[in-house]
Amino acid sequence: MNIELTRVKVKNGKSAKVDEWLELLHNEMDKVLLTLEAEKMYVETIFREFTENGEFLYWYSIQGDGGASLHESDFEIDKLHIAYWEECIDEDFEPVHMKKKVSMIQDKVLAVLQ
């Protein structure tokens, strides 16, 4: 199982597009949840932060081993998700992958995830 938290920078001037992106994911949650099954993505949460250094998105996820890649997906919602990413995320800014130190998951929850 892989547990991650990653921070990415939003391109300047793309806040409205990020609003649109996040609203799409929220409004199409039934389609999003279908794609998570193939990815073995048990939990995926997006956080948003505005600082004096810009706008950032944080991705928190718990994913099982051997899941399909988002980029291999045939789901239209995944293709839209990738298109928004490419338009909104500043690839010149190195993503920050936080180092996991402690993971607290009850055994009964862990058993369901595995």
Side-chain angles (χ1 to χ4, degrees):
M1 186 166 35
N2 189 30
I3 301 174
E4 295 182 326
L5 175 61
T6 301
R7 179 180 69 190
V8 295
K9 188 170 190 321
V10 173
K11 292 176 183 175
N12 291 332
K14 291 296 181 177
S15 285
K17 202 66 172 175
V18 170
D19 290 340
E20 184 181 301
W21 179 13
L22 298 178
E23 185 175 342
L24 171 77
L25 294 175
H26 177 74
N27 291 341
E28 300 291 339
M29 189 59 64
D30 57 333
K31 294 175 185 170
V32 170
L33 293 176
L34 286 175
T35 73
L36 297 183
E37 182 74 26
E39 296 172 27
K40 294 189 180 177
M41 186 66 70
Y42 305 130
V43 176
E44 186 171 11
T45 306
I46 303 169
F47 296 88
R48 192 175 191 180
E49 178 184 38
F50 296 91
T51 72
E52 63 277 353
N53 296 321
E55 180 179 354
F56 298 88
L57 296 177
Y58 292 75
W59 253 263
Y60 172 78
S61 63
I62 301 175
Q63 186 176 26
D65 296 327
S69 167
L70 173 70
H71 295 281
E72 297 170 355
S73 174
D74 290 329
F75 287 101
E76 184 62 28
I77 193 71
D78 286 339
K79 292 175 184 176
L80 290 170
H81 183 56
I82 290 168
Y84 275 108
W85 177 283
E86 290 172 351
E87 182 174 350
C88 297
I89 300 304
D90 185 348
E91 297 290 347
D92 292 332
F93 179 85
E94 187 73 27
V96 177
H97 302 285
M98 310 299 173
K99 295 189 188 305
K100 181 182 71 162
K101 296 298 183 182
V102 177
S103 181
M104 296 167 274
I105 303 175
Q106 293 182 19
D107 288 341
K108 62 185 174 183
V109 174
L110 193 57
V112 170
L113 294 177
Q114 295 176 334

